[in-house]
Amino acid sequence: MDVSAFFAPPEILGSKRALCIQPHADDNEIGMGGTIAALAARGCEIHYLTVTNGDLGAQAGPCDPKQLADTRRAEAEAAGRALGASVFHWFDEPDGSLEHIPALAEKIAELIRTVQPDVIFCPDPWALYEAHQDHIVTGKAAAQAFLSVSLAQYPRGTKTAPWQPGAIGFYFTQKPNTVVDVTDTFETKFAAMALHRSQLNEQLLGLYRIYFSMQGQKLAEGRGFALGEGLKVLSPLHVHCFVEAPGI
């Protein structure tokens, strides 16, 4: 057997159903909006899970937290639909409060077993200098759920059947092993990002456009397309006791 088979990242673009997990409304669009639109264009059914309610996300001046949470929920759904998402799930955890990885992993696992996605996505919790605890906890909880969701009795007391997605894709990663062609969906990504009006003003959108254009060109070098979006894609084998995973 060719040992290189152990190191190949799973193929994700043929997925029929995807669960895109974001700590906050706007993370999916910023982190992998071009990929989501590319998957949807291929007929993939896109589910969104937003873990927190976003009530700390006021950009300037005092704001009613409940009103802001409602605004961000509406923005998240509008932006997701602009990319092709059709089903939305909400955990409504208080913004900035995430700390218990096992408890969140169990909730995510129940949703995975219900939705039965071929692939799940989340932020890379092992990104260097990631300082936001909500991102770290969400990413590690999603990885824990991905690893354990095929166990018959996980989470404890579950009434759902085991399910194993074939891949987990980490966005906001410094070590991508998969580059998705987003040449045709780059503008769709930015149209969706612009719908987060409470979070992203014109100046910030302009900065993101320059950054993602330069990053996308670099990722696409030598691949036969103009713009790429990078993900760290791992199989269930890769996320437990597999010391080569950081390098593949």
Side-chain angles (χ1 to χ4, degrees):
M1 181 177 180
D2 184 359
V3 72
S4 65
F6 287 104
F7 301 95
E11 194 280 325
I12 60 171
L13 290 180
S15 299
K16 299 302 183 184
R17 185 176 297 132
L19 175 62
C20 303
I21 302 168
Q22 56 183 359
H24 314 100
D26 75 14
D27 287 324
N28 282 340
E29 285 75 43
I30 297 171
M32 56 171 294
T35 299
I36 293 170
L39 284 166
R42 289 168 167 80
C44 183
E45 179 183 295
I46 307 294
H47 289 242
Y48 262 38
L49 166 61
T50 306
V51 177
T52 71
N53 64 10
D55 63 355
L56 286 182
Q59 297 300 301
C63 179
D64 176 60
K66 175 65 166 61
Q67 183 178 19
L68 178 59
D70 290 344
T71 296
R72 297 199 67 186
R73 177 185 282 241
E75 290 175 346
E77 182 165 345
R81 291 194 184 280
L83 294 178
S86 58
V87 187
F88 296 84
H89 311 273
W90 317 89
F91 282 174
D92 287 323
E93 298 289 343
D95 198 358
S97 72
L98 302 184
E99 59 180 354
H100 198 279
I101 293 168
L104 181 57
E106 290 185 353
K107 291 182 68 175
I108 293 173
E110 280 287 342
L111 184 61
I112 291 172
R113 290 163 74 116
T114 301
V115 171
Q116 298 186 340
D118 302 308
V119 59
I120 69 170
F121 297 98
C122 64
D124 187 345
W126 296 282
L128 294 174
Y129 307 110
E130 176 54 71
H132 204 310
Q133 186 73 357
D134 285 350
H135 280 237
I136 295 168
V137 172
T138 296
K140 289 189 174 181
Q144 174 69 53
F146 174 69
L147 175 66
S148 303
V149 72
S150 65
L151 299 175
Q153 298 302 316
Y154 181 86
R156 295 181 187 277
T158 184
K159 305 298 184 183
T160 54
W163 180 261
Q164 181 61 70
I168 184 170
F170 296 102
Y171 57 89
F172 295 142
T173 185
Q174 289 149 332
K175 295 183 179 293
N177 62 1
T178 299
V179 178
V180 177
D181 180 1
V182 296
T183 308
D184 294 335
T185 58
F186 188 78
E187 291 303 326
T188 307
K189 171 189 176 93
F190 271 86
M193 287 172 59
L195 294 172
H196 292 282
R197 295 183 180 90
S198 72
Q199 305 299 301
L200 304 175
N201 59 32
E202 290 300 321
Q203 182 179 6
L204 187 52
L205 282 169
L207 178 62
Y208 273 135
R209 179 175 287 278
I210 293 170
Y211 171 70
F212 284 122
S213 294
M214 296 175 65
Q215 183 191 60
Q217 290 168 17
K218 183 176 181 180
L219 286 167
E221 285 179 359
R223 298 180 182 274
F225 49 84
L227 294 170
E229 205 164 59
L231 298 163
K232 182 75 166 187
V233 181
L234 302 176
S235 73
L237 171 69
H238 295 143
V239 294
H240 181 53
C241 300
F242 192 84
V243 297
E244 287 81 9
I248 64 173

